[in-house]
Amino acid sequence: SKNYTVGAALNYHIHSGDGSSGSSAAAVSGVLKGYRFNVFQQTESSVRFRGAEQPDINLLSMQIDSVVNEHFYIPVQVGVAYNEYLGYPGYGEILAGLGLQKSLGDNKRFQAFGQLLIGANVHGAILKTGIGFNYGLNDRWAVYGLAGQTLAGLGSNREKFKSNHLGLGLSYRFSLPSW
């Protein structure tokens, strides 16, 4: 048997600037676009539905942050409960919004942030506020923490759903080429 192989390749080299600035903003504003992928356990506590107290809701949540610049990002979050809620086998949320973050600065370990998300849950429109932190373990991985409040059913005379939430998990930072 005789086999002939012919191939071709196209290479594209990614550069994030001249390399002299060394700041994270240069990497974000160059050819590369920054992202964070967050996976965290989120607990909705002090849950109230139509004025009555409900048990805590435990969610496994994922959020991807698209970094706009060193101070702003766009978060998209999905959370799915793994315990029952109002007699149903689960509960879910899908949200998107805007986040404001502190610059990493010189230490590149601690970064505080605040975010405002809107979306939907089983009660309709939802508003979720939060403040939190990323504590860098290295240049890619960080511990992710979040605290805030969730409100849903805001179109009525009183809130249909209200809770406080706490989240703790891991964050992975990465970049992708942007064209």
Side-chain angles (χ1 to χ4, degrees), residues 5-12:
T5 303
V6 177
L10 176 64
N11 293 326
Y12 180 76

Side-chain angles (χ1 to χ4, degrees), residues 21-30 69-70:
S21 67
S23 72
S24 61
V28 172
S29 65
N69 61 35
E70 70 178 320

Side-chain angles (χ1 to χ4, degrees), residues 13-89:
H13 296 278
I14 299 171
H15 300 284
S16 62
D18 62 3
S20 62
S21 67
S23 72
S24 61
V28 172
S29 65
V31 178
L32 297 177
K33 181 164 177 61
Y35 295 92
R36 280 187 303 261
F37 183 72
N38 310 299
V39 177
F40 54 102
Q41 157 64 37
Q42 187 172 208
T43 300
E44 300 276 347
S45 62
S46 303
V47 178
R48 296 191 67 77
F49 175 63
R50 292 188 177 156
E53 284 194 40
Q54 301 294 325
D56 291 353
I57 303 171
N58 296 306
L59 297 134
L60 177 58
S61 298
M62 293 182 289
Q63 179 173 313
I64 189 153
D65 300 333
S66 176
V67 180
V68 176
N69 61 35
E70 70 178 320
H71 295 290
F72 292 98
Y73 65 96
I74 299 170
V76 176
Q77 184 183 113
V78 174
V80 178
Y82 54 88
N83 64 315
E84 73 170 344
Y85 174 66
L86 295 177
Y88 296 102

Side-chain angles (χ1 to χ4, degrees), residues 66-160:
S66 176
V67 180
V68 176
N69 61 35
E70 70 178 320
H71 295 290
F72 292 98
Y73 65 96
I74 299 170
V76 176
Q77 184 183 113
V78 174
V80 178
Y82 54 88
N83 64 315
E84 73 170 344
Y85 174 66
L86 295 177
Y88 296 102
Y91 165 91
E93 299 176 343
I94 184 164
L95 307 118
L98 184 63
L100 179 64
Q101 64 190 3
K102 181 180 178 272
S103 176
L104 278 173
D106 293 334
N107 67 6
K108 298 198 187 294
R109 284 214 180 260
F110 185 80
Q111 183 176 41
F113 65 86
Q115 60 188 23
L116 178 65
L117 303 163
I118 57 171
N121 70 3
V122 296
H123 303 297
I126 183 174
L127 175 68
K128 187 172 247 188
T129 60
I131 58 170
F133 68 91
N134 282 306
Y135 182 78
L137 302 173
N138 59 34
D139 64 338
R140 296 275 182 212
W141 292 95
V143 173
Y144 177 87
L146 176 70
Q149 191 169 62
T150 306
L151 302 170
L154 301 173
S156 63
N157 290 341
R158 62 180 186 178
E159 296 127 4
K160 290 182 184 173

